[in-house]
């Protein structure tokens, strides 16, 4: 048996000190940080938006709420086809316009007379939310809802009573269809049928969402879960802070240009979601069957949204049969194939990596393991990393991720490529955030360097990969 009393005190002390030296450093969070639900939300990257309702049949984008509900009559509606398409497209979920500004409810709401119940579809017996939530579960997709507070049909719109009507509708949508990953609140606020505008009770609306779905991400201009990116083209800012002074941003925020870069040093974690339609309009129209975005346009959106740390919410307007049109689904499959091809071969897989400094327990090797929850942590804002390839490679794309669990830190970084006996800078950029994909002219090299030029606190990165993308 070990006799501790017989051990020289000095030896014991050395043992204790050296044991302490092996313990990993403690990483301190910096500024606003994401919640567990927000961290999971970042990992979704890409999901489908579906605009569907009376507008699908009337060639308008904003119905007036006085349309005959009988116009809603899809002849072959099949939510399993939507879900199968989303799944094959590589998307992680579907968000549906349960109610757009015309007030028409895609479920038989007890609080409206402008719903699927009054429509011709299935003799008023149908429920799109039921069919879609079931299909999402079957295909392993997340289910989300868009619910417009602006209601151009409801007789109580523009009176204080309407807020309770909206809360009741939220209760139906969030209480009866299983898990809802995202609640989408549109900032548009116009007049109702009585010519009055509504004073929305956002605190009540948000509390209602959390009451029914505590883990849901609430989208609006100012979050609190995620924010509108400030445009409907699908592009995040080249500089993209996940933080926002959320108390000063509200749905319908007039200075919406600020939402593109976010607020550096913002008080809350409210990351950007990039919404865009695959066609010129949000709703289906036969006039746009030949105007589906090109593969090139979609790839550019991919790099401008996901490649700048935003999530991509791509709208696919379901057609008058209640199906995704072949022109859209063919393009979605081409898009998936192009993304898969671009990122199929990670060139760092046999490379070695060296950091200027690594905190104990956070070695640079963690950056090459394709796990974005293992980190490299540096000691100062000016750290650098060198990646050595076993033989020369050809690359034009670098993907970098920050350990956002601890806050967003990097403000500027550069990429150098070893050429003609020295490092040459090929790119300088600003923020990294959840994910940053940098494209540059094709280079041949056997080692590259990443220099963190400015960081709000000691940098913590989560991953680096390199590609030769088309
Ligand atoms: C906007 C709406 O007015 C559009 O019709 C569409 O739903 C878009 C996603 O949000 O605010």
């Amino acid at each position: 048996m070990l006799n501790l009393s017989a051990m020289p005190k000095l030896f014991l002390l050395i043992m204790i000190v050296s044991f302490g030296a092996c313990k990993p450093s403690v990483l301190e969070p910096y500024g606003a940080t994401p919640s567990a639900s927000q961290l999971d939300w970042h990992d979704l990257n890409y999901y489908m938006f579906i605009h569907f309702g009376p507008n699908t049949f009337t060639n308008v984008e904003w119905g007036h709420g006085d349309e005959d509900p009988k116009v809603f009559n899809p002849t072959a509606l099949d939510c399993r086809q939507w879900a199968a398409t989303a799944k094959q497209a590589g998307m992680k979920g579907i968000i549906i316009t349960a109610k757009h500004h015309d007030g028409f409810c895609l479920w038989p709401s007890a609080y409206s007379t402008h719903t699927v119940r009054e429509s011709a579809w299935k003799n008023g017996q149908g429920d799109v939310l039921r069919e879609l939530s079931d299909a999402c579960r079957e295909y392993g997709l997340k289910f989300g809802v868009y619910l417009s507070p602006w209601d151009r049909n409801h007789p109580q719109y523009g009176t204080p009573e309407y807020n309770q009507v909206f809360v009741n509708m939220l209760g139906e949508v969030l209480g009866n269809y299983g898990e809802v990953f995202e609640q989408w609140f549109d900032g548009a606020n116009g007049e109702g049928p009585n010519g009055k505008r509504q004073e929305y009770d956002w605190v009540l609306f948000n509390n209602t969402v959390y009451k029914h779905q505590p883990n849901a991400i609430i989208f609006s201009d100012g979050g609190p879960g995620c924010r509108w990116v400030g445009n409907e083209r699908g592009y995040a800012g080249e500089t993209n802070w996940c933080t926002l002074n959320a108390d000063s941003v509200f749905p319908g925020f007039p200075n919406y240009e600020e939402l593109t870069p976010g607020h550096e040093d913002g008080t809350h974690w409210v990351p950007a979601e990039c919404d865009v339609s695959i066609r010129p309009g949000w709703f289906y129209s036969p006039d746009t069957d030949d105007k589906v975005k090109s593969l090139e346009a979609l790839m550019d959106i991919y790099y401008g949204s996901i490649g700048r740390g935003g999530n991509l919410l791509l709208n696919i307007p379901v057609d008058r049969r209640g199906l995704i049109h072949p022109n859209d689904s063919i393009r979605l499959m081409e898009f998936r194939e192009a993304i898969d091809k671009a990122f199929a071969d990670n060139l760092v897989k046999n490379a070695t990596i060296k950091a200027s400094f690594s905190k104990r327990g956070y070695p640079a090797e963690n950056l090459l393991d394709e796990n974005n929850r293992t980190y490299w942590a540096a000691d100062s804002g000016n750290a650098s990393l060198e990646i050595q390839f076993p033989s020369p490679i050809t690359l034009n794309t670098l993907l970098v991720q920050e350990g956002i669990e601890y806050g967003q830190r990097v403000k500027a970084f550069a990429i150098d490529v070893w050429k003609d006996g020295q490092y040459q800078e090929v790119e300088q950029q600003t923020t990294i955030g959840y994910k940053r994909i940098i494209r540059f002219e094709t280079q041949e090299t056997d080692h590259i360097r990443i220099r963190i030029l400015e960081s709000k606190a000691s940098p913590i990165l989560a991953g680096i990969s390199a590609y030769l993308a088309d």
Side-chain angles (χ1 to χ4, degrees), residues 68-263:
D68 183 348
K70 296 269 181 291
V71 298
F72 183 83
N73 192 16
T75 48
L77 185 136
D78 181 6
C79 292
R80 295 181 71 248
Q81 186 246 11
W82 311 356
T85 307
K87 189 78 185 180
Q88 278 174 33
M91 294 165 155
K92 298 287 166 48
I94 300 181
I95 300 179
I96 175 95
T97 52
K99 176 176 86 126
H100 203 252
H101 310 326
D102 55 24
F104 185 86
C105 303
L106 292 182
W107 79 103
S109 174
Y111 304 97
S112 167
T113 53
H114 200 44
T115 79
V116 279
R117 190 183 48 235
E118 286 75 35
S119 78
W121 178 57
K122 290 194 169 176
N123 294 319
Q125 301 301 304
D127 180 344
V128 180
L129 298 195
R130 174 72 56 218
E131 294 191 21
L132 181 58
S133 55
D134 285 349
C136 283
R137 250 185 307 278
E138 182 185 338
Y139 283 86
L141 295 167
K142 305 260 179 202
F143 170 66
V145 285
Y146 164 116
L147 208 64
S148 167
W150 183 21
D151 191 317
R152 302 173 99 183
N153 172 271
H154 206 282
Q156 281 175 308
Y157 189 85
T159 72
E161 287 72 46
Y162 173 80
N163 283 339
Q164 189 55 44
V165 169
F166 191 67
V167 163
N168 296 342
M169 289 178 167
L170 274 172
E172 291 178 323
V173 166
L174 301 173
N176 297 328
Y177 300 97
E179 199 186 336
V180 172
F181 86 102
E182 185 169 321
Q183 170 64 53
W184 219 91
F185 282 138
D186 202 308
N189 177 359
E191 283 131 22
N194 57 11
K196 291 198 186 124
R197 276 172 192 257
Q198 180 74 28
E199 283 279 330
Y200 298 136
D201 189 342
W202 286 111
V203 175
L204 177 66
F205 297 169
N206 289 347
N207 286 342
T208 306
V209 175
Y210 290 137
K211 184 174 127 199
H212 294 284
Q213 299 282 339
N215 300 320
I217 294 297
I218 300 180
F219 166 101
S220 83
D221 289 1
C226 67
R227 71 173 192 267
W228 182 42
V229 75
N231 66 74
E232 293 183 338
R233 293 178 294 103
Y235 287 85
E238 275 203 276
T239 295
N240 180 15
W241 294 103
C242 291
T243 46
L244 198 72
N245 293 320
D247 294 338
S248 64
V249 181
F250 44 88
F253 184 57
N255 305 332
Y256 58 85
E257 300 87 358
E258 292 176 21
L259 303 179
T260 307
H263 293 147

Side-chain angles (χ1 to χ4, degrees), residues 363-407:
E365 285 74 18
N366 284 350
L367 296 176
L368 305 188
D369 65 2
E370 296 200 339
N371 175 349
N372 66 13
R373 303 272 168 100
T374 60
Y375 309 121
W376 163 69
D379 60 338
S380 77
N382 299 99
S384 67
L385 293 153
E386 280 188 276
I387 300 179
Q388 175 78 49
F389 301 95
S391 54
I393 55 141
T394 316
L395 82 166
N396 61 9
T397 303
L398 204 73
L399 188 156
V400 191
Q401 295 192 275
E402 255 186 280
I404 54 166
E405 191 181 338
Y406 294 96

Side-chain angles (χ1 to χ4, degrees), residues 52 74-79 81-82 318-324:
F52 188 49
T75 48
L77 185 136
D78 181 6
C79 292
Q81 186 246 11
W82 311 356
V318 163
D319 71 14
R320 291 180 181 168
R321 298 167 305 158
L323 296 173
I324 293 177

